[in-house]
Amino acid sequence: MIRFFAQPKYSLDHEKLGYDFFIRQYCNGNWIFPKNFAQFTALQLEKLAIATITALPKGTNMVSINLDQDQFVDDTFIASMQQVQKQCEPVEVVIELTEHHHNISIAKLAVAAQQYQNAHLWVCLDDVGTGDNTATLAEQLDPYITEYKFALQNFRQHTDFSTIISPLLQFWRKFAEIHHKFFAIEGFESAAEIAIGQHYHANLLQGYYLGYPELVQIDATALNNSGTHKIIDFHSHEDRRRNLQ
């Protein structure tokens, strides 16, 4: 059994804007981090996402779903994520491309990103500055990306944490400004760290200090419906995005 845990996202003004979804698997009485994400089909994630979004509080503006590179370029995942957006309007569905390397060419990632954009799905480059999500990739995908997300937790193993992240945050904040992207920072663990978000003018903030991921209780019968679909297109969602700025 799999479910999504939802972690809240906030604006600098402390307004709850939405949630980041993390998939967890039930095993021996515990919810665990899956060892293999490839075991989950696009249709499984589609039905789970729709059921989870439906169960969220009224007024939720946005939700994020993480996809690895191989999932991101898969036509079945593209079609399923488009279906999630169609079924869950007016919630903005954000597809976060993770930094994990799966030997997918930049050309294929760009084609897929364009397909998401054509369907008016918001594409986020997750954990920028780590793994494959470099400035080079950001440049190549620039026409199709809406958001950059910087993860503070990726640098906590360093004793000189503050010294390391300051130039990186400065770079990505400026990069987002130049390229007209939303800038998100995640990984806040204390009140003092919230000042980082304020200093770098983050549009979205996320972290344990602001809220832990929590299991979303859903109507499990919704997961039993079956179906297939083709890649489809939607009307513009620009008005909804302007409301998040």
Side-chain angles (χ1 to χ4, degrees), residues 208-227:
Y208 289 162
Y209 177 74
L210 298 168
Y212 280 85
E214 294 185 356
L215 174 66
V216 180
Q217 300 293 342
I218 65 170
D219 177 6
T221 61
L223 303 181
N224 297 323
N225 299 325
S226 61

Side-chain angles (χ1 to χ4, degrees), residues 150-169 185-190 193 196:
F150 187 92
L152 298 175
Q153 67 269 21
N154 289 345
F155 303 92
R156 289 195 182 279
Q157 73 273 23
H158 300 285
T159 54
D160 51 350
F161 171 70
S162 298
T163 303
I164 287 175
I165 65 166
S166 293
L168 293 172
L169 281 165
I185 303 176
E186 67 172 338
F188 293 102
E189 295 185 0
S190 68
E193 289 183 355
I196 295 174

Side-chain angles (χ1 to χ4, degrees), residues 2 23 25 33-42 44 71 77:
I2 58 173
I23 195 166
Q25 192 168 22
F33 187 85
K35 294 181 180 179
N36 177 22
F37 285 90
Q39 66 184 298
F40 309 127
T41 68
Q44 274 184 295
Q71 298 169 317
F77 276 90

Side-chain angles (χ1 to χ4, degrees), residues 42-203:
L43 190 58
Q44 274 184 295
L45 294 190
E46 173 194 323
K47 292 190 290 185
L48 179 59
I50 292 172
T52 306
I53 294 170
T54 301
L56 292 175
K58 298 291 185 183
T60 297
N61 290 313
M62 64 192 305
V63 299
S64 295
I65 299 172
N66 294 266
L67 296 181
D68 285 336
Q69 290 179 350
D70 54 340
Q71 298 169 317
F72 187 82
V73 302
D74 188 322
D75 283 344
T76 60
F77 276 90
I78 295 172
S80 282
M81 294 303 103
Q82 291 176 356
Q83 193 67 22
V84 172
Q85 180 65 88
K86 180 183 179 183
Q87 295 293 324
C88 298
E89 288 184 316
V91 176
E92 180 83 54
V93 178
V94 181
I95 306 302
E96 295 196 8
L97 174 60
T98 72
E99 75 281 10
H100 306 127
H101 181 71
H102 285 268
N103 202 32
I104 304 296
S105 69
I106 290 180
K108 287 185 177 179
L109 293 172
V111 168
Q114 184 175 21
Q115 288 180 287
Y116 288 111
Q117 188 202 56
N118 288 344
H120 302 286
L121 281 152
W122 175 319
V123 179
C124 168
L125 203 59
D126 192 25
D127 289 20
V128 289
T130 58
D132 276 12
N133 288 354
T134 62
T136 298
L137 180 62
E139 290 276 12
Q140 294 296 317
L141 302 188
D142 179 67
Y144 320 117
I145 298 294
T146 303
E147 175 190 339
Y148 303 140
K149 179 187 277 190
F150 187 92
L152 298 175
Q153 67 269 21
N154 289 345
F155 303 92
R156 289 195 182 279
Q157 73 273 23
H158 300 285
T159 54
D160 51 350
F161 171 70
S162 298
T163 303
I164 287 175
I165 65 166
S166 293
L168 293 172
L169 281 165
Q170 184 175 356
F171 171 83
W172 283 104
R173 171 67 263 183
K174 187 63 176 178
F175 202 80
E177 183 180 338
I178 292 171
H179 293 273
H180 308 290
K181 311 300 182 188
F182 284 86
F183 186 56
I185 303 176
E186 67 172 338
F188 293 102
E189 295 185 0
S190 68
E193 289 183 355
I194 296 298
I196 295 174
Q198 296 169 334
H199 181 75
Y200 292 101
H201 307 289
N203 301 107

